[in-house]
Amino acid sequence: MANEATRADDPADGAENCVRIRLFDADRTDRSLSFDDALRSKVSARQIMWIDVGGNLTDEQRERLVERFELVEATDHALAKPNGRPGVQLHGRHFVLHLAAELDPEDPRRVGWLDIVAGPNVVITQHESPIEALGSMDRRIAEDATIGVADSAEFVAALGEAIVTGYYAAIDRIEDELDDFDAKALQRRQPDDLFGRLVEIRRRIARLRRVLAAHRELFGAIGSPDFASGIESTDPQVFVPLAGRFEGVLTSLESTREVVLGSFDILMTRTGQRTNDIMRVLTVATVLAIPAAVTAGFLGMNVLVPLPADDPGAFWLVLGVVAVIEVGLLAIARWRGWI
């Protein structure tokens, strides 16, 4: 992100975290704050403070945040021990979201989880690994002087839009891979590992679907009227579009699963076509051998044939006749498109 970072060491476990704090002001220039300055600052109704924590908060940092922003014990517990599954909680004037914010289409088991705590004019995000959606969000609103007018729920909704866009991007990467697969499957010469590659893509789509389907309850909850009535927001429908976009993600993923079946049909059809091409060549080769076999059979019979048995020219005559017949067969096969 563009703003400054404050690093702190936890003496208990030696872990280092990176705290980035930005104060959005609708009336003045946005500015970055240190951790101490942020805790001393008073946030007005036309300001939003965004506290982004990379890593784990130290006990001291968490206690100071709890005291400064009047977080309840349940919110403190959510910051201290984030779980490994999506969820949403309402804690008085604050709400907590835990969701997958970074998906790796190459290995959907690798998920970048994000905790979001939002209250009156303050949003706290916490994550173990870098989250591209946060950087994208920071860059997008860097020049927006009116962002302070929005409340924290609207800010979280905008952040959720960036995260859902990342979901679409992960699906798009898989679809691009399927397009490349189809192009290779339609080539005349195919690699031998195409079927294994398709199975691997199908497995990754299933894993990605399990991760995203687990978020259905979360997005359904924040898009419901009950949740809107429990948060402090000027727009009671603030999360409804976000919930709708997430349903579109699941629909897009289902379409991608159907594309895999289409790719499998292409592969099987192309494989069957190659088999037919091979069988056609073998059939023509067999037919070409028939004149020579029949002629040799006739000449090998213990009966008189209309050719002198002791004349070497008879052999070349028979060979010439067989060659003419086979050339004629090849011409007919070519004319009919058999080869």
Side-chain angles (χ1 to χ4, degrees):
M1 290 186 227
N3 50 315
E4 298 174 355
T6 300
R7 296 187 180 275
D9 294 326
D10 184 356
D13 57 10
E16 186 180 75
N17 63 50
C18 179
V19 181
R20 306 167 188 264
I21 304 175
R22 187 169 175 180
L23 183 64
F24 300 99
D25 196 320
D27 301 317
R28 293 184 297 177
T29 303
D30 300 342
R31 61 187 186 275
S32 300
L33 302 175
S34 67
F35 189 78
D36 292 334
D37 289 340
L39 295 183
R40 288 193 294 265
S41 299
K42 292 184 178 180
V43 185
S44 69
R46 292 176 61 83
Q47 294 177 331
I48 291 180
M49 182 178 291
W50 180 15
I51 303 174
D52 181 52
V53 182
N56 295 318
L57 287 167
T58 65
D59 292 339
E60 179 185 358
Q61 289 174 321
R62 196 175 67 256
E63 290 173 1
R64 295 177 66 185
L65 283 176
V66 169
E67 181 181 358
R68 167 63 181 81
F69 296 106
E70 300 178 354
L71 305 179
V72 299
E73 183 179 353
T75 306
D76 180 24
H77 181 74
L79 285 173
K81 295 181 180 179
N83 55 40
R85 61 182 183 276
V88 55
Q89 304 169 28
L90 271 173
H91 300 154
R93 302 176 68 195
H94 300 84
F95 64 92
V96 180
L97 302 180
H98 183 71
L99 70 165
E102 194 86 348
L103 299 177
D104 184 1
E106 298 295 330
D107 185 2
R109 291 172 296 186
R110 292 163 47 186
V111 179
W113 292 99
L114 176 66
D115 289 294
I116 303 175
V117 177
N121 300 100
V122 62
V123 175
I124 303 172
T125 55
Q126 182 177 356
H127 48 94
E128 292 287 342
S129 57
I131 303 296
E132 174 59 29
L134 298 180
S136 174
M137 176 79 171
D138 188 70
R139 292 188 296 270
R140 181 165 60 86
I141 64 179
E143 305 299 330
D144 189 354
T146 63
I147 190 66
V149 177
D151 56 38
S152 57
E154 292 171 326
F155 185 88
V156 173
L159 180 57
E161 288 284 344
I163 292 173
V164 171
T165 298
Y167 295 165
Y168 278 107
I171 297 174
D172 288 343
R173 286 177 59 184
I174 293 180
E175 290 182 348
D176 289 342
E177 191 172 352
L178 286 171
D179 289 340
D180 180 68
F181 175 90
D182 291 345
K184 286 184 170 59
L186 291 171
Q187 292 176 354
R188 188 171 183 82
R189 297 182 60 86
Q190 301 178 25
D192 296 333
D193 61 342
L194 277 183
F195 185 78
R197 181 182 173 191
L198 185 61
V199 171
E200 193 269 337
I201 293 174
R202 176 63 177 82
R203 185 180 295 114
R204 283 194 279 124
I205 291 175
R207 290 171 179 167
L208 186 61
R209 184 184 182 280
R210 282 195 293 269
V211 172
L212 292 177
H215 289 71
R216 194 191 299 270
E217 183 177 353
L218 183 153
F219 284 95
I222 64 177
S224 67
D226 292 339
F227 186 82
S229 63
I231 62 176
E232 297 185 9
S233 177
T234 57
D235 182 7
Q237 304 292 319
V238 62
F239 290 115
V240 173
L242 179 60
R245 283 204 70 200
F246 175 75
E247 288 301 321
V249 169
L250 297 181
T251 302
S252 178
L253 193 57
E254 290 297 330
S255 299
T256 304
R257 294 177 68 187
E258 295 178 0
V259 171
V260 172
L261 297 179
S263 298
F264 179 77
D265 290 340
I266 290 175
L267 180 60
M268 291 298 98
T269 301
R270 191 68 182 91
T271 301
Q273 183 179 359
R274 290 181 64 205
T275 302
N276 290 339
D277 292 341
I278 294 172
M279 293 304 299
R280 183 164 54 242
V281 172
L282 292 177
T283 301
V284 171
T286 302
V287 171
L288 291 177
I290 290 176
V294 171
T295 303
F298 274 118
L299 294 178
M301 296 174 63
N302 293 325
V303 296
L304 293 177
V305 295
L307 293 172
D310 56 352
D311 186 359
F315 168 78
W316 296 109
L317 177 60
V318 172
L319 184 61
V321 172
V322 171
V324 170
I325 294 174
E326 297 203 354
V327 169
L329 290 175
L330 284 173
I332 294 173
R334 187 70 175 176
W335 175 62
R336 297 297 298 271
W338 296 341
I339 58 175

